[in-house]
Amino acid sequence: MDVLAEVEFLKIDRSKYEFKYINGCWPFITYPALNGIAGCMLLLDNEAFDGDVVELEIKFYDKSIHEGKIREGDLFDLYVGTTHIAKGRFTIIM
């Protein structure tokens, strides 16, 4: 199971162009049914920076963990380590 989502990358205290999010990043995802599960981000625009709102695809290594737990409209948060990098909403479950 893969999902499409709308994500807002948070403004983190750093220079805007010191860091960008690119395809293939594996942040931890926290949503109502599960905490701290890694998912691969595939950005439809290929890159994003702090403060950007983008649509992206999230792929999971073990899709069976999420089956029946993710619902369209659910809110989620993305983390790298303990740093909260983004918040989003699942838009389409594939």
Side-chain angles (χ1 to χ4, degrees):
M1 172 180 63
D2 303 325
V3 298
L4 289 180
E6 182 178 273
V7 172
E8 177 185 354
F9 288 99
L10 303 176
K11 293 184 179 180
I12 298 171
D13 188 22
R14 59 181 171 209
S15 171
K16 179 176 181 173
Y17 294 103
E18 282 184 23
F19 189 85
K20 66 180 174 182
Y21 301 97
I22 59 172
N23 285 330
C25 292
W26 283 83
F28 291 106
I29 299 171
T30 297
Y31 62 94
L34 287 172
N35 287 324
I37 302 293
C40 181
M41 293 189 317
L42 298 173
L43 294 128
L44 303 181
D45 292 331
N46 295 322
E47 68 182 23
F49 296 92
D50 288 351
D52 287 351
V53 176
V54 300
E55 186 176 24
L56 55 80
E57 183 177 352
I58 300 173
K59 293 186 172 279
F60 298 105
Y61 179 73
D62 184 354
K63 298 172 185 184
S64 66
I65 294 172
H66 305 278
E67 289 176 2
K69 294 181 181 171
I70 292 179
R71 284 175 264 165
E72 291 178 7
D74 279 353
L75 300 177
F76 65 89
D77 295 290
L78 298 176
Y79 292 85
V80 172
T82 59
T83 302
H84 187 203
I85 63 165
K87 58 184 177 178
R89 180 179 56 84
F90 298 121
T91 56
I92 298 174
I93 311 302
M94 300 184 280

